[in-house]
Amino acid sequence: MRKKAECRDLFPGALELMILKSLSWKPMHGYALVQRLKDISEDYLQIEEGSLYPALQRMLKAGWLKTEMGVSARNRPVRIFKVTAAGRKHLEQELASVEKMFAGVTRVLALAGE
Amino acid sequence: MIWLRQLLSRRRRYDELAEMIQEHLEEKIADLIDRGMTREQAEFAARREFGNVTRIEERSREIWQWPNLESTLADIRFAMRQLVKSPGFTITALLTLALGIGVNVAVFSVINAVLLSPLPYKNADRLVMIAEQSPKEPVPAFDTYREYEEWIRNSHSFEKLAGATWARNAGAVFSWRGEKKEVMAVPATVAFFSMLGVDAVQGRTFASQDLNSACTVVLSHSFWEERLGGEPSWIGKSLTLDDQPCMIVGVMPRNFSFYPKQTELWTLITPNSKFTQKPWDMPILAFGILKPGVGRPAAQEELASIQRRVITENPSWAAMNLEPVLEDLQSEFTWLTGRNLRQGLLILFAVVGIVLLIACVNVANLLLGRATVRQRELGVRAALGAGRSRLIRQLLTESVVLSFFGACLGVLFAVLSVRYITTKGVMELPPGNPISVNWEVLAFTFLLALMTGALFGVMPAWKASRLDLNEVLKQSGRTTSHSTFTHRTSRNLVVIEVALSLIVLVAAGLLIQSLLRLKNAPLGYERDHLLTADLRLPATSYAKPEDTLSFWDNLESKLVSLPGIQGVAFAPALSFEQGMGPVTVEGAGSRSHVASASDPESISCAYFRVAGIPLLQGREFSADDRAKSVPVAIVDETFARQFLPKGAELGQRIKLGKLDSKEPWLTIVGIVGNVSRPTLFEGYSQRPSLYRPLRQAPDGSLSIFARTTGNPRAVEPEIGHAVEAVDGNVPVPTVQTVDEAFSWFTSEPRLRAELFGLFSVLALILAAVGIYGVLSQRVAQRTQEIGIRVALGANHQDVLRLVLGEGLKVILAGILIGVMGALALTRLLSSMLYGIETTDPLTFGSVSFLLSVVALVACYVPARRAMRLNPLIALRCE
């Protein structure tokens, strides 16, 4: 199956990063999280709904997330994902390193051709 | 322990996961319906966009799993089921492994305690023993207290220096409630206990203020408990040792021991101690603890320079030009206790290693046989998609499970043998750590089990997993095509097995022969019907030589009148060789012969006659050789040959000590035959010996030697009564035959010969079982072929020749390789052998013969079965 040209593979850890950021803005259940990511990325990024779950489990195992019972917008009982203190710390570290990486890439792109 | 909690909460996690996905889908479906889809359309769309639910659930679950661990657990469960299903195979393999691993664990627990664990003293790695010249020679480190003080004053390499005796026969007479007992009392210097960093459990150890008291003792825990009832009130009181009151200052902890282990109490060496007057009476060794960072060579060099200076200042001390030598204490302990204990243990370890190898070969053969049977099962697994490495992993799991259970049984076996070793006292063990199956030993066992499992499992697994799927699945059950290959492998394994057994057998044969030669070695005297009993007169009541002499005279007249006793004499106890100071021969200039002679021995007139030592020249001592008459001596052949002018031996005068010493000139009046003395090494030596008449050189500690006419046992109590009758204050001696008195000397070689003998029998049985197993399997495989041969007219002899011939080839190849291996390896034994070469052709020949016979018997059983095959039945199998 060919991917659309504008859909790129994410770098390792990018999905986790986006999940953490979204959830630290607001705790959400799985479906809401997918919708949110889709809305924001405006189809630039290809995120399959299902593939989110292994990532969520990985993050639960690492202790960055925890689940709580809550209700959805439709008043259904659902499991809400929340960022833990460890997750917040991880997010900060990752953001810092990602910024550094982007800065580096931008600099190289700007100057490499000169 | 997070992983453990995760492991336990997994079921809940999985349920939760399924619910989450369900919630997700329902939310989405509701959303889609809101956007105008029918419920059906919405469900379909939601699932399509979500992806494969089962697959995603599976991938998410994997996050919580260890796939390797789980499949390994499954493999282990499967392996156990397989083992239970074939109990015959399992029991044989388990017993073989348990024996193989068990003996290894037992030997390792001894090695761990004796050679590997540090001694239970503080800073054990810095403790050294200081000997003169060589630690292997029983030469005391210092022979005057002054010399010892010089060392302490001038050396800077040591934190502490201490002295203590290592003599086996150190002893004192302990008087207790009217009874007199000889106890093992070891003299030690003030710093001895503090050097070891071990404190008393009651009271204290020696302190410098004790140097002013006449006698101070520290008790061992067992002495305090068994002889004094374990009362703490004994501290500060005194007990009577050699008729002298000695103050008890402390009791050592229960597990404290030093060499010799049997020590019951320690007496304090003071500047007035006995050994200062009589250097050779009590060999004192020096021990020290090096300062951190100081190496042994540096400390040794320092002591040597002190020694050189002391000798030039006091020429009279220059008895021998000896250089101090430092040895680390632990290796010295093992040497003192067992001479070759270290080497012996390592060789024993190698031998049990070989036994384990043989056991592995047998189990590998069993597994090969099973693999042939299980080919179909493996084929099905392969057909269902199991790769070769997966099959190997499963088979290896089986063998490791097998060796693990074998090891568990082996540990049980080892615990029993360790208990036997420690309680029965089968071997003399150096002081230090008790031998036990501890955590270190268990860790070793676990590693050994893993290695063993891999060792015997890897090859059969490799072979078994080489499958031709089509072939295997086509066949209905019996397999033949694969078995020639398997057979060649197991035949090669048996060759190895025979070779290994031969090596162990040769080693055992050499040690057993060596033991026999040691026991039957001519000693220069007659040891049949010869009794010996060590006597020690209390020093205080026998201070005057006249009293000592009259005691011996009275005892002699009492003993000779006893019925059943042919002759009685007194002489120093039979012990291993000891050194002697310099000897000066008159007229040989100022040159003195140094060392290398035995201690001068004070003997009663009848000694040579009673002991059966032949007089070669001159005369024996007589009653006329008394204190006031000309000092005389008798020497042995070796002495005469080495030191005396040829042809003029009799009448030659010699002096013990240097030319300027105050010792009297002794006139040689006779030459007697040589006597062999056990050495500290294995075997005997003939050192130059010199005898003096008891009347001219009175001695308070001698042994009774009595030649009996009949059963030596019959006169035992009589000897005790006689001693009591002469002086009730003299401790009643233990009477032994000379052979018994010497048994400690052959105990090491005997133990070694027994152990090697045991292991070689084990190896022999395992090899026989291996040969039998391979050949019977072979016969079973060739049933058809043999049937055809018989049907075509082959008679019994032909069939027998066919099977035996195959076995014979294996045996001969094994023996050939084994002989070469043994020739290369038995050299390691050379220091433990007495009177036999490591390449002794008789041993090699007889061992090869024995092995061939046993192996042929193992071949004969399957051969007979082949011979009796009914060709009709054999062919019907087709």
Side-chain angles (χ1 to χ4, degrees), chain B residues 251-569:
Chain B
V251 178
M252 291 311 286
R254 186 185 297 279
N255 52 7
F256 175 81
S257 65
F258 198 76
Y259 190 86
K261 259 178 128 177
Q262 303 87 334
T263 307
E264 297 181 87
L265 41 87
W266 291 268
T267 57
L268 180 61
I269 296 174
T270 68
N272 302 318
S273 285
K274 195 171 63 171
F275 80 114
T276 52
Q277 281 96 44
K278 203 179 173 197
W280 302 113
D281 194 37
M282 195 70 84
I284 296 286
L285 285 189
F287 303 92
I289 183 157
L290 293 169
K291 281 183 182 159
V294 177
R296 267 192 278 154
Q300 190 165 309
E301 183 44 48
E302 190 192 43
L303 283 185
S305 75
I306 297 172
Q307 198 83 331
R308 277 193 293 272
R309 195 172 49 70
V310 169
I311 285 171
T312 36
E313 282 170 12
N314 304 278
S316 64
W317 290 356
M320 308 170 207
N321 295 319
L322 299 177
E323 292 260 300
V325 173
L326 267 65
E327 269 295 321
D328 99 89
L329 190 60
Q330 183 162 32
S331 64
E332 196 51 33
F333 270 177
T334 53
W335 187 82
L336 282 172
T337 355
R339 269 75 70 193
N340 283 319
L341 186 63
R342 172 178 290 263
Q343 199 191 355
L345 280 176
L346 293 179
I347 289 181
L348 200 60
F349 202 36
V351 167
V352 293
I354 292 180
V355 171
L356 182 59
L357 269 182
I358 298 175
C360 282
V361 169
N362 269 3
V363 178
N365 260 337
L366 284 174
L367 282 176
L368 274 177
R370 245 164 77 88
T372 325
V373 178
R374 284 177 59 184
Q375 236 176 9
R376 219 183 134 69
E377 172 211 324
L378 295 175
V380 171
R381 282 171 170 261
L384 289 176
R388 188 167 181 202
S389 65
R390 187 72 191 82
L391 287 183
I392 290 182
R393 216 174 83 193
Q394 185 217 324
L395 290 170
L396 268 184
T397 308
E398 265 187 64
S399 47
V400 171
V401 165
L402 200 57
S403 71
F404 178 76
F405 284 111
C408 290
L409 278 179
V411 167
L412 208 70
F413 174 78
V415 167
L416 292 178
S417 3
V418 163
R419 186 171 302 165
Y420 180 75
I421 291 172
T422 46
T423 55
K424 292 279 158 125
V426 279
M427 59 194 290
E428 194 185 342
L429 295 165
N433 301 289
I435 291 172
S436 65
V437 179
N438 54 17
W439 288 112
E440 287 152 39
V441 175
L442 288 180
F444 167 80
T445 314
F446 183 70
L447 273 181
L448 193 67
L450 268 182
M451 266 168 46
T452 309
L455 192 66
F456 69 72
V458 84
M459 216 248 303
W462 182 256
K463 301 271 185 234
S465 60
R466 267 170 67 135
L467 292 171
D468 182 349
L469 263 189
N470 283 330
E471 271 301 306
V472 173
L473 294 178
K474 224 159 45 190
Q475 282 160 8
S476 51
R478 286 180 61 88
T479 52
T480 45
S481 63
H482 174 81
S483 53
T484 355
F485 189 67
T486 310
H487 175 71
R488 201 163 53 226
T489 315
S490 53
R491 205 177 50 195
N492 289 342
L493 285 177
V494 172
V495 170
I496 295 173
E497 199 168 43
V498 171
L500 291 174
S501 322
L502 185 96
I503 295 174
V504 181
L505 277 168
V506 165
L510 288 173
L511 287 168
I512 290 168
Q513 286 204 54
S514 161
L515 176 70
L516 291 179
R517 280 170 207 217
L518 207 54
K519 282 178 103 166
N520 301 327
L523 297 181
Y525 53 87
E526 289 290 325
R527 51 181 172 182
D528 281 345
H529 294 97
L530 190 58
L531 288 183
T532 172
D534 300 346
L535 270 184
R536 185 191 169 88
L537 308 185
T540 38
S541 41
Y542 287 92
K544 281 185 277 182
E546 306 90 78
D547 297 337
T548 311
L549 289 177
S550 74
F551 173 86
W552 294 122
D553 278 344
N554 291 340
L555 184 61
E556 187 172 14
S557 55
K558 277 249 159 33
L559 288 173
V560 286
S561 63
L562 287 177
I565 288 189
Q566 219 174 39
V568 171

Side-chain angles (χ1 to χ4, degrees), chain B residues 213-262:
Chain B
S213 354
C215 175
T216 317
V217 293
V218 167
L219 309 180
S220 74
H221 200 275
S222 58
F223 180 88
W224 175 64
E225 212 169 51
E226 283 156 30
R227 305 229 195 195
L228 303 182
E231 286 287 323
S233 60
W234 274 101
I235 308 297
K237 292 192 182 152
S238 54
L239 51 75
T240 311
L241 218 55
D242 282 343
D243 287 336
Q244 194 188 13
C246 289
M247 210 216 347
I248 304 170
V249 295
V251 178
M252 291 311 286
R254 186 185 297 279
N255 52 7
F256 175 81
S257 65
F258 198 76
Y259 190 86
K261 259 178 128 177
Q262 303 87 334

Side-chain angles (χ1 to χ4, degrees), chain B residues 767-788:
Chain B
V769 169
I771 293 169
Y772 168 80
V774 166
L775 280 186
S776 12
Q777 214 173 298
R778 182 69 173 147
V779 167
Q781 283 162 1
R782 291 172 79 180
T783 306
Q784 292 170 24
E785 180 207 324
I786 293 170
I788 294 170

